[in-house]
Amino acid sequence: MPDSYVYVTEEGVARHYADGSVDALVWEDVVEVRVEGDSESESDILYILLGRGGQGCVVPKSATDTTFLARLRYLPDFDMERLGEAVEGLGEGHVVVWRSPDPPTPLPDFEYD
């Protein structure tokens, strides 16, 4: 059994963990998309979605499919080319690939393990 699995719908994205916990966001609350990891190891790449209230959802690239990537395209002015470049050029830290045109001020902090 995998340690987590991801559901993507028109309404939002949710990551369910083996311990029963869930990280979930509705698409309309997403204010930032980050990419983090190591481009040398595709299994270590994470998409981090941040929400208005400080909540977040961490989606491993290994758990994504065309549905997840297609849904990102609906975020206002989301640039798939920028996402691809960020994944290819990852170093240490994270890269912000999209930020809402109307983000809360200041952007919420989000920490994950």
Side-chain angles (χ1 to χ4, degrees):
M1 177 177 205
D3 66 341
S4 68
Y5 54 94
V6 176
Y7 283 121
V8 178
T9 66
E10 287 185 30
E11 291 79 33
V13 60
R15 182 176 180 188
H16 297 258
Y17 295 89
D19 67 2
S21 62
V22 177
D23 291 336
L25 281 175
V26 294
W27 291 113
E28 65 188 34
D29 286 344
V30 175
V31 295
E32 188 172 284
V33 177
R34 298 176 181 177
V35 178
E36 184 173 304
D38 180 358
S39 60
E40 297 297 317
S41 174
E42 189 170 296
S43 64
D44 292 337
I45 295 175
L46 302 172
Y47 299 108
I48 303 166
L49 284 66
L50 303 179
R52 288 189 186 283
Q55 71 280 28
C57 188
V58 178
V59 179
K61 186 171 189 220
S62 61
T64 64
D65 60 12
T66 56
T67 304
F68 177 77
L69 296 175
R71 187 55 191 87
L72 288 177
R73 293 178 192 258
Y74 287 100
L75 296 172
D77 299 321
F78 191 87
D79 186 343
M80 292 301 288
E81 188 173 312
R82 179 175 166 90
L83 176 67
E85 290 170 357
V87 169
E88 292 297 318
L90 277 175
E92 291 188 30
H94 68 269
V95 176
V96 175
V97 294
W98 179 83
R99 193 168 277 151
S100 170
D102 185 29
T105 306
L107 279 173
D109 289 330
F110 175 73
E111 296 294 325
Y112 67 94
D113 298 324

